[in-house]
Amino acid sequence: MTDTPTLQFWFEFGSNYSYLSVMRIEALAKAAGVRVQWRPFLLGPIFKELGWSTSPFVLQKEKGEYAWKDVARQARKYGLPFRRPSVFPRVALLPLRVAVLGAGSDWMVPFCERVMSQNWRDDLEINEEANVLAALDGLVDDPHAVIAAALSDENKRRLRENTEEARARGIFGAPSFFVGDELFWGNDRLEDALAFARQSQAS
Amino acid sequence: MTDTPTLQFWFEFGSNYSYLSVMRIEALAKAAGVRVQWRPFLLGPIFKELGWSTSPFVLQKEKGEYAWKDVARQARKYGLPFRRPSVFPRVALLPLRVAVLGAGSDWMVPFCERVMSQNWRDDLEINEEANVLAALDGLVDDPHAVIAAALSDENKRRLRENTEEARARGIFGAPSFFVGDELFWGNDRLEDALAFARQSQAS
């Protein structure tokens, strides 16, 4: 094989550990020589199918309280700003639709990083159109047109399909990484997933 | 402060991720100049108090199935043997009582490593007296006497007290690490906990 190894990156703007991976993945993947395929999806419907009414961090109070300390500590370790948001988990339908629309474009990655900063650094309602417009500002010619396209039936369907694919492939949380059929779950496995992608390609 | 920094290591023989930490912690702690205080406890009563009838890896099927692949992958990464045991989670009352009895002794750490190898490499019933005797063989003068002492009321009470202390301090899974009042959960945080212990001591 001579293709560049590829890593699928499944993430949600409302997911706290997805924040850490969204902010770290491009630099690490570049250093590893791995191409990242960004796959936004909705975590809510997956949690519901698993029988959870909301995030496990809300349902399991002890683990949830610990997770806030842990995310803050990990962010500090990575040199990332972090503030516990006043709402969790935040609805992220509109920015996820925009991210789906932008898949493969130049602006998609910086857009995702900005939405994450809004949620986890600035404590902003990321589902509000004004904030999505701000996150698109300077990245695309016409932010309003991008939002209109993101709200088309075809694009809405794409996000639903991403979510159904995530469920069908056994994803139960975010972030998740796929190298071929090998699933890696959680920001803690990003480095392992990249190493696996490199090894798979070399073999 | 001039004391050696100390890390409390809370573990259970029936816990799959505790296996990885039991086998790794002494070498890493030595390299970091950190003293490890081994704290065996019972995970079952803690899960029950949190409303779980058994391990979350059994209750949450998707996450549980993933965890088996993940533990195997992590073991490979660390160069540790691993076989998925035919019973999970295994009752570990007797070896935990022996471990409590041995706390601070020379034989406690190698005993714990042997019990873990029995469970996660050899698929043996670690709660059977014959296997506990085998794990003590060559480490203590009289393995039968050690088991008798482990079954004394006073020693049984010590394990209960460890478990109550774990619950009171907010432990919800294993392995867990404490540096002072700072909780780190999971084998993935062992290195962070050791680094934190070193920094705390230096400050």
Side-chain angles (χ1 to χ4, degrees), chain B residues 113-172:
Chain B
E113 292 169 350
R114 285 184 183 180
V115 173
M116 284 304 209
S117 294
Q118 289 180 340
N119 194 5
W120 308 102
R121 183 192 67 192
D122 305 331
D123 194 18
L124 293 174
E125 276 303 335
I126 54 176
N127 205 40
E128 280 181 12
E129 188 173 310
N131 291 325
V132 178
L133 287 169
L136 285 166
D137 187 50
L139 296 177
V140 298
D141 288 336
D142 187 346
H144 284 95
V146 165
I147 288 186
L151 292 173
S152 71
D153 285 345
E154 191 195 337
N155 190 66
K156 287 179 179 176
R157 187 172 42 76
R158 263 188 229 136
L159 179 58
R160 277 199 304 275
E161 285 170 356
N162 270 12
T163 304
E164 283 157 18
E165 185 181 336
R167 175 71 180 128
R169 296 191 70 183
I171 285 177
F172 53 84

Side-chain angles (χ1 to χ4, degrees), chain B residues 10-186:
Chain B
W10 294 79
F11 67 99
E12 232 274 18
F13 293 124
S15 146
N16 45 11
Y17 287 98
S18 289
Y19 166 60
L20 302 176
S21 288
V22 161
M23 305 311 265
R24 301 194 310 127
I25 194 166
E26 284 293 324
L28 290 173
K30 196 177 169 186
V34 172
R35 194 174 68 89
V36 182
Q37 194 186 350
W38 290 57
R39 301 294 306 265
F41 74 110
L42 284 163
L43 207 40
I46 291 198
F47 285 162
K48 286 208 172 61
E49 282 205 42
L50 294 170
W52 309 331
S53 56
T54 179
S55 165
F57 292 134
V58 176
L59 297 177
Q60 301 168 22
K61 210 170 132 272
E62 284 82 0
K63 202 174 281 188
E65 280 308 306
Y66 169 79
W68 289 118
K69 286 172 61 174
D70 186 59
V71 172
R73 235 165 22 200
Q74 296 300 106
R76 208 155 45 233
K77 184 170 83 174
Y78 299 133
L80 294 170
F82 177 79
R83 179 162 45 143
R84 178 173 173 170
S86 53
V87 178
F88 177 82
R90 277 212 160 98
V91 175
L93 188 57
L94 181 58
L96 282 169
R97 283 173 171 162
V98 171
V100 165
L101 182 77
S105 74
D106 284 349
W107 57 265
M108 194 261 203
V109 172
F111 169 76
C112 292
E113 292 169 350
R114 285 184 183 180
V115 173
M116 284 304 209
S117 294
Q118 289 180 340
N119 194 5
W120 308 102
R121 183 192 67 192
D122 305 331
D123 194 18
L124 293 174
E125 276 303 335
I126 54 176
N127 205 40
E128 280 181 12
E129 188 173 310
N131 291 325
V132 178
L133 287 169
L136 285 166
D137 187 50
L139 296 177
V140 298
D141 288 336
D142 187 346
H144 284 95
V146 165
I147 288 186
L151 292 173
S152 71
D153 285 345
E154 191 195 337
N155 190 66
K156 287 179 179 176
R157 187 172 42 76
R158 263 188 229 136
L159 179 58
R160 277 199 304 275
E161 285 170 356
N162 270 12
T163 304
E164 283 157 18
E165 185 181 336
R167 175 71 180 128
R169 296 191 70 183
I171 285 177
F172 53 84
S176 289
F177 313 96
F178 267 110
V179 180
D181 287 332
E182 194 81 359
L183 171 64
F184 296 80
W185 170 54

Side-chain angles (χ1 to χ4, degrees), chain A residues 102-178:
Chain A
S105 74
D106 285 349
W107 57 265
M108 193 260 204
V109 172
F111 170 76
C112 291
E113 292 168 350
R114 285 185 183 179
V115 173
M116 283 305 209
S117 294
Q118 288 180 341
N119 194 5
W120 307 102
R121 184 191 65 193
D122 305 332
D123 194 18
L124 293 174
E125 276 302 334
I126 54 176
N127 206 40
E128 279 181 13
E129 188 173 310
N131 291 325
V132 178
L133 286 169
L136 286 166
D137 187 50
L139 296 177
V140 298
D141 289 337
D142 187 345
H144 283 96
V146 166
I147 287 186
L151 292 173
S152 72
D153 285 344
E154 192 195 337
N155 190 67
K156 286 179 178 176
R157 187 171 44 77
R158 262 189 230 136
L159 179 57
R160 277 198 303 275
E161 285 170 355
N162 270 12
T163 304
E164 283 157 18
E165 185 182 335
R167 175 70 179 128
R169 296 191 70 184
I171 286 177
F172 53 84
S176 288
F177 313 97
F178 267 111

Side-chain angles (χ1 to χ4, degrees), chain A residues 50 52 60 62-63 66 69-70 73-74 77 167 172 181-185 188-189 192, chain B residues 50 52 60 62-63 66 69-70 73-74 77 167 172 181-185 188-189 192:
Chain A
L50 294 171
W52 308 330
Q60 300 169 22
E62 283 83 359
K63 202 174 280 187
Y66 169 79
K69 286 173 61 173
D70 186 59
R73 233 165 24 199
Q74 296 299 106
K77 185 169 80 175
R167 175 70 179 128
F172 53 84
D181 287 332
E182 194 82 357
L183 171 64
F184 297 80
W185 169 55
D188 288 328
R189 291 291 174 274
D192 285 356
Chain B
L50 294 170
W52 309 331
Q60 301 168 22
E62 284 82 0
K63 202 174 281 188
Y66 169 79
K69 286 172 61 174
D70 186 59
R73 235 165 22 200
Q74 296 300 106
K77 184 170 83 174
R167 175 71 180 128
F172 53 84
D181 287 332
E182 194 81 359
L183 171 64
F184 296 80
W185 170 54
D188 288 328
R189 292 292 174 273
D192 285 357

Side-chain angles (χ1 to χ4, degrees), chain A:
Chain A
M1 287 172 63
T2 53
D3 294 345
T4 305
T6 300
L7 179 79
Q8 279 194 355
F9 172 37
W10 294 79
F11 67 98
E12 233 273 16
F13 292 125
S15 146
N16 45 10
Y17 287 98
S18 289
Y19 166 60
L20 302 175
S21 288
V22 161
M23 305 312 266
R24 300 195 309 128
I25 195 167
E26 285 294 322
L28 290 173
K30 195 177 169 188
V34 172
R35 194 175 67 89
V36 181
Q37 195 187 349
W38 289 58
R39 301 295 306 267
F41 75 110
L42 284 163
L43 207 41
I46 292 199
F47 285 161
K48 285 207 172 62
E49 283 205 42
L50 294 171
W52 308 330
S53 57
T54 180
S55 165
F57 292 133
V58 176
L59 296 177
Q60 300 169 22
K61 207 171 134 273
E62 283 83 359
K63 202 174 280 187
E65 279 309 307
Y66 169 79
W68 289 118
K69 286 173 61 173
D70 186 59
V71 172
R73 233 165 24 199
Q74 296 299 106
R76 205 156 48 233
K77 185 169 80 175
Y78 300 132
L80 294 170
F82 177 78
R83 180 162 44 145
R84 178 173 174 169
S86 54
V87 179
F88 176 82
R90 278 211 159 98
V91 175
L93 188 58
L94 182 58
L96 282 170
R97 283 173 171 162
V98 171
V100 165
L101 182 77
S105 74
D106 285 349
W107 57 265
M108 193 260 204
V109 172
F111 170 76
C112 291
E113 292 168 350
R114 285 185 183 179
V115 173
M116 283 305 209
S117 294
Q118 288 180 341
N119 194 5
W120 307 102
R121 184 191 65 193
D122 305 332
D123 194 18
L124 293 174
E125 276 302 334
I126 54 176
N127 206 40
E128 279 181 13
E129 188 173 310
N131 291 325
V132 178
L133 286 169
L136 286 166
D137 187 50
L139 296 177
V140 298
D141 289 337
D142 187 345
H144 283 96
V146 166
I147 287 186
L151 292 173
S152 72
D153 285 344
E154 192 195 337
N155 190 67
K156 286 179 178 176
R157 187 171 44 77
R158 262 189 230 136
L159 179 57
R160 277 198 303 275
E161 285 170 355
N162 270 12
T163 304
E164 283 157 18
E165 185 182 335
R167 175 70 179 128
R169 296 191 70 184
I171 286 177
F172 53 84
S176 288
F177 313 97
F178 267 111
V179 179
D181 287 332
E182 194 82 357
L183 171 64
F184 297 80
W185 169 55
N187 173 67
D188 288 328
R189 291 291 174 274
L190 172 53
E191 285 84 351
D192 285 356
L194 287 168
F196 188 85
R198 260 210 314 203
Q199 288 160 14
S200 306
Q201 196 266 350
S203 64

